[in-house]
Amino acid sequence: MRGSVMDQEFQVQEICESIIVTCNDAGEELDDDGKPRRTGNKWTASAHIITAIIGSGVLSLAWSMAQLGWIIGVGTLLSFSCITYYTSALLADCYRCPNSLTGKRNYTYKDSVRSYLGENMHKACGFVQCIFLSGSTIGYTITASISMVAIRESNCYHKQGHEASCKYSSNWYILGVGIAEIFVSQIPNFHKLSWLSMVAALMSFTYASIGLALAFTKVISGEGGRTSLTGTEIGLDLTKTDKIWSMFRAIGDMAFACAYSPILIEIQDTLRSSPPENKVMKKANGIAVLTSTSFYLMCGCFGYAAFGNNAPGNLLTGFGFYEPFWLIDLANLCIVVHLLGAYQVLSQPVFSTVETWIRTKWPKSKFVMEEYPLSIGKRNLNFKVNLLRVCWRTGFVVVATLLAMALPFFNDILALLGALAYWPMTVFFPLEMYISQNQIKRHSVRWFWLELLNLVCFLVTIGVACSAIQGLNQGLRTYKPFKF
């Protein structure tokens, strides 16, 4: 009896293996690891990256430039972009292990860290990644609500005049974003998000271009604000201590604008296997970093030139009095649509991590494993509902929405997220994996320069984190949460 069971199991295994081989040979269904065939390319990967990084970060750059001035501001932004491009290229080689071309796939950032740095680093990476990605959803919820409020204020000023009192609470709009995300979050995984990322990337180009055009128009019309090489000036309204804090927060905002490494491996896992994923991903990195940096420089510099040292925390909210008001409304609407997509790009790794752990823990539970086809009447919508996905993802969005309502401090939240993500996820783990992968000897020249870069970014991160916490502390003294 036991032998017949073993024979049956062996036959089933042979059949499964033959199906995988047949499908792979036919090039139809499955990839080399038995999973559904990946279809991504450098353009879809670039769209995912641009969706993730050209978001709320670009809107704060005019304010950041105002705090740092022309020299330090431009230098800081270029430095972060160069570091991001370099370390992302190193990280792309860690998708497979031990060989970057033919090794075993690492499906997530955490898997790569485990393969090269061990279990303890894997846990540390998972914690940092979840904190950053979850925090980013809060920041994106705040940003989307600010844009909605800006639309309402713009229409109010247009109808009632520039002297009207047009101030509204953002909490209703935060609630609206949360409700929308509850539905959108039911998209199962990254592989189903390409269309959403394409739309979101298009939206990001649209509103960044509108903001750039409005700022450029204001500058050439001679209505630009007063700028300086060192940014905001110390005086009656700004102490030396406040200046230092604001500079570090500005650096944090720029770091946040350039950070996408926490989802790089997940994006790379959507790429088809030929040509090699790491080579395609490096091209996608180049396209995305070049595109985003160009937009960042233009929006930051023209935004600073337009508003001067009084640049607003969110670039597009500074044009509330200006015509054509419909163009400003369109830009803010594009931000909302873009951030609905960016929210999902950043939250999918968190969703996947928790759901994978639960499925491993309770593999026989219908609540966890069962997929129910969704249909309207007799028409099948080709979409399946999973109870675990519905409950867990809905709960996640609800908590993120409540935190956004409790802490709606745009620039401070971005600075804190930049501090949490940039050094560990963009610098530390990629450099350490590169050292391990290439077996670079300790105390060698290359090792020294890599660790020096590590140390410098770590010290900047400490300063940014302290300044963000100080800013949040000041804001909480006067803010009344959940006030509609």
Side-chain angles (χ1 to χ4, degrees):
M1 181 71 178
R2 185 179 176 184
S4 63
V5 171
M6 290 180 67
D7 289 341
Q8 289 174 357
E9 290 178 350
F10 180 73
Q11 290 172 1
V12 169
Q13 184 177 355
E14 273 192 327
I15 292 171
C16 290
E17 288 176 353
S18 66
I19 290 173
I20 291 174
V21 170
T22 302
C23 290
N24 282 336
D25 290 341
E28 294 176 352
E29 295 293 337
L30 301 178
D31 238 325
D32 57 354
D33 59 347
K35 290 195 172 187
R37 185 170 294 279
R38 297 157 177 85
T39 58
N41 54 47
K42 66 179 179 181
W43 299 113
T44 60
S46 301
H48 281 314
I49 297 170
I50 292 170
T51 298
I53 59 177
I54 300 185
S56 53
V58 72
L59 303 174
S60 67
L61 291 177
W63 178 86
S64 299
M65 289 290 294
Q67 310 313 307
L68 299 172
W70 289 112
I71 298 175
I72 299 178
V74 173
T76 300
L77 185 56
L78 289 176
S79 296
F80 279 131
S81 295
C82 291
I83 293 170
T84 299
Y85 176 71
Y86 174 66
T87 58
S88 295
L90 303 184
L91 188 57
D93 286 333
C94 298
Y95 173 64
R96 290 182 181 267
C97 179
N99 186 294
S100 60
L101 295 177
T102 59
K104 177 180 174 294
R105 294 175 187 266
N106 291 305
Y107 302 116
T108 66
Y109 193 119
K110 301 189 299 296
D111 290 342
S112 295
V113 172
R114 177 195 280 135
S115 297
Y116 287 102
L117 302 179
E119 188 62 31
N120 290 334
M121 284 295 187
H122 165 260
K123 292 178 180 178
C125 173
F127 176 77
V128 173
Q129 186 185 35
C130 283
I131 291 294
F132 168 70
L133 296 177
S134 302
S136 295
T137 62
I138 298 171
Y140 282 11
T141 302
I142 295 169
T143 308
S145 69
I146 289 173
S147 293
M148 291 179 179
V149 171
I151 293 174
R152 188 173 179 185
E153 289 179 350
S154 174
N155 293 336
C156 174
Y157 287 130
H158 177 72
K159 292 179 180 179
Q160 302 181 25
H162 295 174
E163 302 301 324
S165 177
C166 298
K167 297 296 179 184
Y168 305 98
S169 170
S170 63
N171 283 332
W172 284 114
Y173 300 96
I174 290 176
L175 200 59
V177 172
I179 292 172
E181 290 295 351
I182 286 175
F183 291 98
V184 182
S185 66
Q186 297 309 311
I187 296 174
N189 53 51
F190 247 132
H191 304 279
K192 306 294 184 181
L193 280 177
S194 293
W195 66 271
L196 186 60
S197 285
M198 289 292 188
V199 172
L202 178 62
M203 294 297 102
S204 68
F205 279 117
T206 302
Y207 71 71
S209 298
I210 292 172
L212 174 62
L214 290 171
F216 180 73
T217 301
K218 189 176 180 185
V219 171
I220 63 174
S221 66
E223 298 178 2
R226 183 175 178 273
T227 65
S228 64
L229 292 178
T230 57
T232 53
E233 298 171 342
I234 298 171
L236 294 176
D237 298 328
L238 185 68
T239 66
K240 185 180 294 185
T241 301
D242 290 338
K243 169 72 173 177
I244 294 172
W245 285 127
S246 65
M247 288 180 68
F248 273 111
R249 283 197 291 274
I251 292 171
D253 287 358
M254 288 185 174
F256 176 78
C258 296
Y260 69 91
S261 295
I263 58 171
L264 186 146
I265 296 295
E266 284 81 354
I267 293 174
Q268 192 167 344
D269 190 46
T270 67
L271 298 176
R272 59 172 67 102
S273 56
S274 180
E277 302 92 349
N278 63 328
K279 294 183 178 180
V280 176
M281 196 65 199
K282 288 176 182 178
K283 292 179 181 178
N285 286 333
I287 294 169
V289 171
L290 180 61
T291 302
S292 61
T293 303
S294 299
F295 266 88
Y296 287 167
L297 283 173
M298 289 188 290
C299 290
C301 292
F302 280 114
Y304 180 39
F307 293 102
N309 292 335
N310 294 319
N314 182 331
L315 175 63
L316 285 172
T317 61
F319 295 105
F321 290 132
Y322 296 92
E323 301 290 348
F325 81 101
W326 60 267
L327 188 61
I328 300 165
D329 289 353
L330 175 62
N332 282 296
L333 180 61
C334 288
I335 292 174
V336 175
V337 174
H338 169 251
L339 293 180
L340 287 175
Y343 188 113
Q344 291 305 312
V345 171
L346 292 177
S347 60
Q348 284 292 335
V350 181
F351 295 156
S352 176
T353 297
V354 174
E355 289 163 13
T356 300
W357 178 80
I358 293 176
R359 289 190 181 105
T360 303
K361 198 78 172 175
W362 293 282
K364 297 182 179 180
S365 170
K366 286 189 176 181
F367 177 84
V368 173
M369 304 300 294
E370 194 73 25
E371 296 279 348
Y372 300 94
L374 186 64
S375 59
I376 296 178
K378 296 182 178 180
R379 185 176 179 181
N380 192 343
L381 298 181
N382 196 27
F383 188 84
K384 294 183 179 180
V385 175
N386 174 265
L387 295 179
L388 167 64
R389 206 159 50 233
V390 171
C391 295
W392 144 241
R393 296 189 182 192
T394 299
F396 176 92
V397 174
V398 168
V399 172
T401 303
L402 291 175
L403 288 173
M405 294 170 69
L407 299 168
F409 307 112
F410 180 73
N411 294 99
D412 296 321
I413 290 291
L414 294 190
L416 184 59
L417 291 172
L420 290 174
Y422 198 84
W423 172 70
M425 303 299 289
T426 304
V427 180
F428 175 75
F429 287 119
L431 291 184
E432 293 301 317
M433 285 192 284
Y434 175 74
I435 290 172
S436 174
Q437 183 185 55
N438 293 275
Q439 299 180 348
I440 298 173
K441 294 182 179 179
R442 291 176 64 86
H443 308 303
S444 65
V445 175
R446 185 188 295 182
W447 179 90
F448 173 80
W449 285 112
L450 291 172
E451 293 298 348
L452 180 62
L453 175 61
N454 218 342
L455 177 62
V456 170
C457 291
F458 172 72
L459 294 176
V460 171
T461 291
I462 295 298
V464 171
C466 291
S467 68
I469 293 170
Q470 187 266 349
L472 288 172
N473 182 50
Q474 281 188 333
L476 288 171
R477 290 177 183 176
T478 56
Y479 174 70
K480 294 181 181 179
F482 306 108
K483 184 178 179 181
F484 289 90

